[in-house]
Amino acid sequence: MPDPLDLAFAALADPTRRRILAMLLEDDMAVTDVAAPFTVSLAAISKHLAILTRAGLVSQERRGRVVWCKLEPDALRIASVWMQGFGQFDAVELDQLERLLSAERLLPPADD
């Protein structure tokens, strides 16, 4: 069984996945809406969402024919607690996370 901390850091390592998390800070979104701003295929975005879901950062729920995605910030707390062990990092506050992810959104889109 993969370590949740490894899964969280691996998921956060990709700029496309960080952009997806930033989008989901605003509200739950349908998979097709998540994919809309990207120049990659829906299948590629679905793979990114699967990685985020496996890491516990996103949950997905089917409502009729539409799959909705929701941010699950608790997985980030695992990483935050781990980093606090080094004494150099403060706990991740959701406001700080929102600012970080919003700043990521200002970067040019990644084509993954």
Side-chain angles (χ1 to χ4, degrees), residues 10-77:
L12 293 169
D14 184 272
T16 298
R17 292 191 285 270
R18 291 193 305 269
R19 282 189 63 214
I20 291 170
L21 291 175
M23 292 166 56
L24 293 174
L25 269 173
E26 302 297 321
D27 201 1
D28 299 356
M29 297 177 75
V31 170
T32 53
D33 294 332
V34 170
F38 296 95
T39 58
V40 297
S41 68
L42 180 59
I45 294 301
S46 292
K47 287 180 183 180
H48 283 296
L49 286 168
I51 291 167
L52 291 167
T53 300
R54 194 167 39 252
L57 297 169
V58 169
S59 61
Q60 295 185 51
E61 176 187 357
R62 181 171 291 279
R63 297 181 202 158
R65 296 166 72 186
V66 178
V67 177
W68 286 85
C69 302
K70 176 182 178 181
L71 180 67
E72 298 292 345
D74 285 343
L76 291 172
R77 286 189 180 92

Side-chain angles (χ1 to χ4, degrees), residues 25 90-102:
L25 269 173
D90 294 328
V92 172
E93 298 292 329
L94 291 181
D95 289 341
Q96 292 172 331
L97 173 63
E98 184 172 3
R99 284 191 296 276
L100 170 71
L101 293 175
S102 294

